[in-house]
Amino acid sequence: MLNKYERLKQQIAFIVEIDKMKSIYRQNYITQGSRNETDAEHSWHLAVMAMLLAEHTDMVVDPVRALKMVLVHDLVEIDAGDTYCYDQQGLLDKEEREEKAAERLFGMLPPDQADEFTTLWQEFEARVTPEARFADAIDRLQPLLLQYHTDGRSWHEHGISSSKVVERNKRTKEISADLATLVDEIIEDSIRQGFLPR
Amino acid sequence: MLNKYERLKQQIAFIVEIDKMKSIYRQNYITQGSRNETDAEHSWHLAVMAMLLAEHTDMVVDPVRALKMVLVHDLVEIDAGDTYCYDQQGLLDKEEREEKAAERLFGMLPPDQADEFTTLWQEFEARVTPEARFADAIDRLQPLLLQYHTDGRSWHEHGISSSKVVERNKRTKEISADLATLVDEIIEDSIRQGFLPR
């Protein structure tokens, strides 16, 4: 058994390690300042969304569990990198790369917390529990909002068409009638304004 | 009373507005990539720390409340800007600027959530409850970790000496014997390695 100070040292080493989330850039642009978003920023944004939006799901959701899930869901990208959601090639071995990453990273923590973080990540990845489905939904909605408010800049760069965005946001629409309406409105308006080719 | 879709639209407007947290730069550097940290990144980092470190306080702390507190504690900087903790001039009217910011920003949310966010922020600012003291402690510890792992780069840039850092981290030491030992070790080693003048 580790004593408390040894536990603290392990936790601090992990906390310093995950600073790397600030150097992993996503494909989306932030709404100000014209640069790509980092994983750390994305995770924070989702956490606040989890605090605000749980009421809109048609399921019973424990928002705190969803909140914790989104805080840790992208940590594996420290080793595995960010795989763009429309990158078919990169998606092929994503699972394997991310499993290795989870083992190394969460293994830095004291065993009980390693278990907690691994479980949260696996639950998110499985997308079965109400909390994971909610977390997954906002993980899809958030980049849609950023694309919409940056005139679809990253959609243009990657030649993404509306059918792909519709497909990607199906799961967001599944969990909530209100979110479905919102997603449809955003996609329709994006097409109308030329952010997204039909 | 707002209907649910009107509530959703208000929440989404707020969620888009707070994207600005990714364009507010703090004085600290991130450990990789040689640029300053954003408020969004800092808030995410603190949230993970809140998940991990509550066991080290000598108080009974609800970690979830602390977690929510750190997620929202810097939102007021969207209007008020980041005031460097060693900037005596900027600290003079910080309170007034931040109160105005809280009113405008949280006022974008449906009333019940505006209340929740305002209360969390006020509780953090008052630094009285165990949760707020814990949140405050990790808000001081996190930049110390970043400074230590970037050879005190921002300390050098601002001519900060060890006595100021010791003073700044007093509150972290107050809440936990283990954190106190850690803070002392980091400051001592920073002096020894020349990151921080004695």
Side-chain angles (χ1 to χ4, degrees):
Chain A
M1 277 282 286
L2 298 166
N3 71 34
K4 279 196 82 178
Y5 196 64
E6 288 164 344
R7 280 181 67 90
L8 178 60
K9 294 290 259 189
Q10 287 198 348
Q11 290 154 341
I12 294 294
F14 177 83
I15 286 162
V16 171
E17 175 71 14
I18 67 172
D19 198 61
K20 293 176 179 166
M21 287 279 279
K22 303 167 189 171
S23 305
I24 302 169
Y25 287 90
R26 295 167 48 83
Q27 295 299 326
N28 300 307
Y29 289 87
I30 59 172
T31 58
Q32 323 268 316
S34 206
R35 68 156 170 84
N36 291 88
E37 184 189 34
T38 68
D39 264 358
E41 291 170 331
H42 168 68
S43 301
W44 166 79
H45 214 168
L46 293 189
V48 180
M49 289 173 76
M51 282 179 71
L52 291 172
L53 299 181
E55 66 185 78
H56 298 289
T57 70
D58 304 329
M59 308 170 293
V60 179
V61 168
D62 170 4
V64 171
R65 187 156 183 86
L67 199 169
K68 290 181 175 177
M69 230 176 262
V70 298
L71 285 173
V72 309
H73 83 293
D74 270 344
L75 283 171
V76 293
E77 297 188 356
I78 287 173
D79 287 353
D82 177 53
T83 308
Y84 190 39
C85 62
Y86 300 113
D87 169 10
Q88 290 307 321
Q89 193 60 38
L91 291 172
L92 288 178
D93 65 340
K94 179 171 181 267
E95 205 174 301
E96 196 190 321
R97 282 183 286 125
E98 294 193 344
E99 260 166 34
K100 270 193 198 157
E103 217 169 296
R104 181 189 77 80
L105 264 171
F106 301 146
M108 295 179 70
L109 286 169
D112 55 315
Q113 292 184 327
D115 280 354
E116 188 196 351
F117 274 52
T118 304
T119 304
L120 283 168
W121 173 69
Q122 285 171 339
E123 185 177 333
F124 176 83
E125 285 296 312
R127 293 164 172 78
V128 173
T129 63
E131 287 73 20
R133 292 181 63 202
F134 172 56
D136 181 45
I138 57 178
D139 188 35
R140 289 160 196 264
L141 176 61
Q142 190 260 1
L144 180 66
L145 294 174
L146 291 196
Q147 292 279 12
Y148 184 53
H149 288 275
T150 55
D151 302 355
R153 179 165 171 189
S154 162
W155 285 333
H156 284 301
E157 285 178 358
H158 293 87
I160 305 299
S161 66
S162 62
S163 60
K164 285 204 175 166
V165 179
V166 168
E167 179 64 31
R168 171 104 192 126
N169 285 279
K170 249 188 195 162
R171 296 216 208 169
T172 310
K173 293 174 64 175
E174 272 169 24
I175 67 155
S176 152
D178 281 334
L179 289 182
T181 307
L182 179 78
V183 164
D184 284 342
E185 272 186 13
I186 292 176
I187 293 177
E188 273 312 305
D189 197 50
S190 294
I191 293 170
R192 192 168 45 238
Q193 296 206 51
F195 305 160
L196 196 58
R198 187 176 294 277
Chain B
M1 277 282 285
L2 298 167
N3 72 32
K4 279 196 81 177
Y5 197 64
E6 288 164 344
R7 279 181 67 89
L8 177 60
K9 295 288 260 187
Q10 286 198 348
Q11 290 155 341
I12 295 293
F14 177 82
I15 286 163
V16 171
E17 174 71 13
I18 66 171
D19 199 61
K20 292 177 180 167
M21 286 279 278
K22 302 167 190 171
S23 306
I24 302 170
Y25 287 91
R26 296 168 45 84
Q27 295 301 327
N28 300 307
Y29 288 88
I30 60 172
T31 58
Q32 322 269 314
S34 207
R35 66 156 171 83
N36 292 85
E37 183 188 35
T38 67
D39 262 359
E41 292 170 329
H42 167 68
S43 301
W44 166 79
H45 214 168
L46 293 188
V48 180
M49 289 173 76
M51 282 179 71
L52 291 172
L53 299 181
E55 66 185 79
H56 297 289
T57 69
D58 304 329
M59 310 170 291
V60 179
V61 167
D62 170 4
V64 171
R65 187 157 183 85
L67 200 169
K68 290 182 176 177
M69 230 176 260
V70 296
L71 284 172
V72 309
H73 82 294
D74 270 346
L75 283 171
V76 292
E77 297 188 356
I78 287 173
D79 288 353
D82 176 52
T83 307
Y84 190 39
C85 62
Y86 300 114
D87 168 10
Q88 290 307 322
Q89 192 59 37
L91 292 171
L92 287 178
D93 64 340
K94 180 172 180 266
E95 204 174 302
E96 195 189 322
R97 283 183 287 125
E98 293 194 345
E99 260 167 32
K100 268 193 197 158
E103 216 169 296
R104 181 189 78 80
L105 263 171
F106 302 145
M108 294 178 71
L109 287 169
D112 55 316
Q113 293 183 327
D115 280 353
E116 188 196 350
F117 275 52
T118 305
T119 303
L120 283 168
W121 173 70
Q122 286 171 338
E123 186 177 333
F124 176 84
E125 285 295 313
R127 292 165 172 78
V128 172
T129 63
E131 288 72 22
R133 291 182 62 203
F134 172 56
D136 181 44
I138 57 179
D139 188 35
R140 289 160 196 263
L141 176 61
Q142 190 260 1
L144 180 66
L145 293 174
L146 290 196
Q147 292 280 11
Y148 183 53
H149 287 275
T150 55
D151 302 354
R153 179 164 172 189
S154 163
W155 284 333
H156 283 302
E157 286 178 0
H158 294 86
I160 305 299
S161 66
S162 61
S163 60
K164 283 204 175 166
V165 178
V166 168
E167 178 63 30
R168 171 102 192 127
N169 284 280
K170 249 189 195 160
R171 296 216 208 170
T172 309
K173 294 174 65 175
E174 273 170 21
I175 67 155
S176 152
D178 281 335
L179 289 182
T181 307
L182 179 79
V183 164
D184 284 342
E185 272 186 13
I186 292 176
I187 293 177
E188 272 312 305
D189 197 51
S190 293
I191 293 170
R192 192 166 47 236
Q193 296 205 52
F195 304 161
L196 196 56
R198 189 177 292 278

